[in-house]
Amino acid sequence: MALAMHAAPLFCWPMPAPQNGAIEIPGEDGLLLRSFGFLDLESPVEYLSTWLTPVPRFFVRNHMHEPSQLSAADWRLSIGGEVEKPLTLTLADLSKLEVHSVVNTLECAGNGRRFQRPQIPGVQWGKGAVGTAEFSGPRLRDVLQRAGVKLSGKHVAFRGLDEVPGKVPPFIRSIPIEKALDADTLVATHMNGAPLTKHHGFPARALTPGWIGAASCKWVTEIKVLDSEFAGNFMNPGYRLPNQPINPGETVRPEDTHPVTSLAVKSVISGPLDGATLKPGRVAIRGAAWAGEAEIAKVEISTDGGTTWARANFGGERARYAWRLWHHEWIAEPGDHSIRSRATDSQGRVQPATAAWNPSGYLYNAIDEVRVRVA
Ligand code: MTE
């Protein structure tokens, strides 16, 4: 008999939040509250229109309470497990290592979950659990090299300083050693040129570029080299996908799943907004497209509900793990219109008409659509 895979780790489900409410959180600029049990804030889709997302406009995803006590002076990072020389670093020690910067599009695996049918429990993210920032700090591999990874070291686990209520297991996830030793994987201390804010992991977080946000542990305090993948809740049953496509609503056996790693190919229209009324004439359709570890090859736009497609133009900025901004000029004629965007990446992956349904609602990436009236 097939066992049901949990839609999401049970104890991570948030308290319900006010519908789509923009809230005043100090330092946050017009973000949408998705959960206030554990703070989850989404960027309105029109924010996905700048090369770098300003930090106050960057979505926030917390599985539990943020650490209440954080001090740069008292913070420590321990490195242990399958290493020759376990060590503990201070923030001052970290700052002596060479700094590397990576512009990365960080997207929550659950972004777009609210569009999945049948619906899936968990944070009901719309389109904005994604943002792009320049993350800086030492390379994880430089930190690991100081401890000397043993040949038996195959995975690297991170533990955050989250405050863990009741019986909730701590936020610990691991990544394979190859990704950990990649020159772009960081122990990031800065975001867009400033020290990380508390919501984004002060004083240091892992940055695993191109991968789901959950691979970038905030408030990291322990790095442990392991001989096998970490087996805790946030690796299993959390953050897994079926090995084979399944029908919407179907269950999958845990042994028929694998961890989610790189992001899918995806584009989103940041303007005009869904439901907008526009004047006839020239309309700039714009948005962002990203593909995790792959490159965006093209973005196509349809203004006739998917019958014909035209190639969008790219903005000038690009970086290996970052979204590409795109725009397309449309001469709008009176009537009701469906505008769609479809991205293709360098691996030949094309944004599908319907996203692959999975029990946790991860990696939603269907062709984006906004409906507008021209009058
Ligand atoms: N790290 C810790 N320690 N605790 C968390 O709850 N959430 C993860 C990841 N790192 C999380 C974490 C998830 S699911 C995402 S999508 C990203 O952080 C979000 O990063 P942000 O809040 O800086 O946008």
Side-chain angles (χ1 to χ4, degrees):
M1 194 182 70
L3 292 172
M5 186 172 89
H6 289 307
L10 279 172
F11 23 74
C12 299
W13 294 352
M15 289 164 68
Q19 290 283 311
N20 255 356
I23 48 150
E24 291 305 319
I25 298 241
E28 303 300 325
D29 179 9
L31 298 179
L32 308 170
L33 181 63
R34 291 290 178 227
S35 153
F36 51 84
F38 308 130
L39 193 65
D40 289 323
L41 303 171
E42 175 169 343
S43 304
V45 72
E46 60 269 32
Y47 286 8
L48 313 186
S49 53
T50 57
W51 168 236
L52 299 183
T53 311
V55 174
R57 295 185 158 205
F58 204 100
F59 82 100
V60 175
R61 169 60 171 133
N62 293 330
H63 279 278
M64 33 206 142
H65 300 299
E66 296 187 352
S68 51
Q69 306 282 331
L70 281 171
S71 115
D74 295 340
W75 177 82
R76 294 288 180 277
L77 177 63
S78 71
I79 298 108
E82 303 295 310
V83 295
E84 303 293 348
K85 196 177 62 157
L87 47 102
T88 301
L89 300 177
T90 63
L91 201 53
D93 296 330
L94 265 196
S95 69
K96 289 181 195 134
L97 298 176
E98 186 195 335
V99 175
H100 184 58
S101 293
V102 176
V103 180
N104 179 61
T105 293
L106 192 81
E107 183 184 23
C108 183
N111 193 25
R113 182 179 287 123
R114 66 163 49 193
F115 307 114
Q116 295 275 19
R117 294 293 176 274
Q119 280 188 314
I120 294 161
V123 182
Q124 294 300 298
W125 297 111
K127 298 179 186 179
V130 61
T132 296
E134 182 187 58
F135 294 91
S136 310
R139 292 183 170 94
L140 175 60
R141 76 174 182 202
D142 290 348
V143 172
L144 290 173
Q145 260 162 18
R146 291 193 60 184
V149 176
K150 290 185 182 166
L151 280 176
S152 51
K154 303 290 183 215
H155 292 261
V156 176
F158 307 98
R159 180 169 66 84
L161 280 169
D162 316 54
E163 289 180 8
V164 180
K167 291 187 178 150
V168 176
F171 190 84
I172 306 177
R173 297 196 76 251
S174 68
I175 60 174
I177 191 77
E178 297 76 20
K179 187 70 176 172
L181 296 179
D182 187 284
D184 288 325
T185 301
L186 306 179
V187 180
T189 53
H190 286 66
M191 190 173 174
N192 292 350
L196 287 169
T197 60
K198 184 177 175 189
H199 291 321
H200 297 291
F202 173 86
R205 74 181 299 169
L207 192 269
T208 305
W211 285 28
I212 57 166
S216 292
C217 180
K218 302 193 278 190
W219 315 293
V220 64
T221 189
E222 184 183 357
I223 294 175
K224 199 164 179 186
V225 181
L226 305 173
D227 58 6
S228 59
E229 192 172 275
F230 182 69
N233 168 68
F234 292 99
M235 295 299 291
N236 194 352
Y239 292 108
R240 299 182 85 80
L241 284 174
N243 294 339
Q244 306 296 333
I246 59 167
N247 293 318
E250 231 172 53
T251 56
V252 59
R253 298 185 307 175
E255 58 269 36
D256 295 333
T257 64
H258 62 274
V260 199
T261 56
S262 177
L263 295 173
V265 61
K266 184 163 177 179
S267 68
V268 166
I269 301 167
S270 60
L273 295 179
D274 192 41
T277 300
L278 311 170
K279 293 203 173 79
R282 288 173 198 276
V283 171
I285 302 171
R286 52 185 75 247
W290 61 95
E293 290 179 309
E295 224 182 296
I296 288 292
K298 64 176 176 183
V299 173
E300 295 161 294
I301 305 303
S302 173
T303 52
D304 55 11
T307 308
T308 60
W309 296 85
R311 263 175 111 127
N313 296 304
F314 286 128
E317 288 127 328
R318 63 196 297 183
R320 178 159 176 204
Y321 299 104
W323 61 27
R324 290 211 76 180
L325 298 179
W326 53 262
H327 54 95
H328 176 72
E329 188 179 271
W330 175 45
I331 309 297
E333 296 188 353
D336 290 334
H337 301 275
S338 152
I339 304 174
R340 298 183 189 189
S341 70
R342 177 173 72 187
T344 300
D345 74 13
S346 53
Q347 297 173 356
R349 300 184 300 178
V350 184
Q351 215 176 336
T354 308
W357 191 94
N358 58 85
S360 303
Y362 293 139
L363 299 184
Y364 177 88
N365 72 333
I367 288 173
D368 198 24
E369 180 182 27
V370 297
R371 291 170 183 272
V372 297
R373 170 157 294 175
V374 179

